[in-house]
């Protein structure tokens, strides 16, 4: 097995600085970690693209959905994406998982630990933030799903997890 690139090593170092348990995926420039958030468990993958000097962080959580409700879920994710400046939400139809993806291109080969940490926090927060909205769609009875107003659903602030203090950050 070849040694990790400077880019991947800087991601691992940043995770270590935060005290985050993680694994290096053998033979790939990928680091994997699991975080317990407010609403859900978030699987995180950090992948370094050495030729581009880029890092993508992907967070995902299981969200099985009845086929007839998938259009409502996709509308929810689309509307949520319109409100974002960084990253984007997706739904993996094959694996039935809600996914958030964010990418940054770095100037130097050694990635900045603060940026890695911020990207990871953002990924966890966005997956955790959207989960209760997805769950409402998931739990809405089929005979009432047509009455669900996705725009109004996204306005519900009671579903948003509390913002942690700096001391409480993961």
């Amino acid at each position: 097995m070849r040694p990790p690139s400077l880019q991947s090593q800087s991601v691992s170092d940043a995770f270590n600085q935060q005290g985050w348990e993680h694994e290096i995926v053998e033979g790939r420039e990928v680091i994997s970690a699991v975080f317990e958030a407010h609403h859900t468990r978030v699987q995180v993958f950090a992948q370094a693209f050495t030729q581009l000097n880029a890092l993508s962080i992907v967070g995902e959580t299981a969200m099985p959905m009845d086929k007839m409700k998938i259009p409502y879920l996709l509308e929810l994710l689309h509307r949520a994406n319109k409100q974002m400046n960084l990253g984007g939400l997706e739904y993996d139809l094959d694996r039935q998982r809600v996914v958030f993806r964010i990418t940054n291109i770095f100037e130097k080969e050694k990635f900045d630990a603060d940026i890695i940490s911020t990207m990871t926090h953002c990924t966890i927060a966005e997956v955790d933030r959207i989960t209760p909205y997805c769950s409402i769609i998931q739990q809405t009875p089929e005979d009432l799903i047509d009455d669900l107003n996705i725009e109004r659903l996204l306005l519900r602030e009671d579903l948003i997890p509390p913002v942690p203090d700096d001391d409480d950050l993961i």
Side-chain angles (χ1 to χ4, degrees):
M1 186 170 96
R2 65 177 186 211
S5 66
L6 182 57
Q7 292 94 334
S8 286
Q9 188 58 53
S10 62
V11 175
S12 182
D13 292 345
F15 274 52
N16 287 335
Q17 284 176 6
Q18 293 293 327
W20 297 336
E21 291 185 27
H22 62 282
E23 296 177 1
I24 297 171
V25 178
E26 191 174 330
R28 308 206 52 188
E29 297 284 333
V30 176
I31 290 172
S32 172
V34 176
F35 296 90
E36 293 294 333
H38 184 77
H39 291 294
T40 192
R41 185 175 201 211
V42 182
Q43 176 79 42
V44 172
F45 300 96
Q47 182 170 11
F49 296 93
T50 55
Q51 296 86 353
L52 298 173
N53 227 30
L55 174 67
S56 281
I57 298 189
V58 176
E60 60 183 37
T61 193
M63 188 59 61
M65 192 72 57
D66 295 335
K67 286 188 188 254
M68 77 160 301
K69 295 179 182 177
I70 288 176
Y72 296 91
L73 177 65
L74 296 177
E75 178 186 350
L76 173 83
L77 298 178
H78 170 75
R79 290 185 182 282
N81 279 335
K82 287 173 59 176
Q83 299 172 5
M84 288 186 191
N85 292 320
L86 298 171
L89 291 159
E90 309 166 12
Y91 186 67
D92 185 324
L93 292 164
D94 298 324
R95 297 183 311 124
Q96 295 190 319
R97 296 180 73 77
V98 170
V99 177
F100 178 82
R101 182 182 318 269
I102 188 168
T103 301
N104 189 62
I105 298 175
F106 290 84
E107 185 178 343
K108 300 176 182 174
E109 285 183 0
K110 184 171 179 3
F111 297 165
D112 183 284
D114 290 336
I115 294 173
I116 294 166
S117 172
T118 300
M119 289 173 67
T120 304
H121 281 289
C122 177
T123 299
I124 297 163
E126 290 301 337
V127 171
D128 194 45
R129 179 184 70 85
I130 203 68
T131 295
Y133 299 99
C134 297
S135 294
I136 286 176
I137 293 171
Q138 184 186 51
Q139 295 166 10
T140 299
E142 287 185 14
D143 60 333
L144 298 177
I145 193 75
D146 287 335
D147 296 332
L148 188 61
N149 183 317
I150 302 299
E151 285 182 87
R152 287 187 51 209
L153 176 61
L154 280 170
L155 294 175
R156 286 190 54 186
E157 293 186 10
D158 60 309
L159 300 174
I160 298 173
V163 177
D165 295 330
D166 288 341
D167 297 337
D168 296 336
L169 289 176
I170 302 169

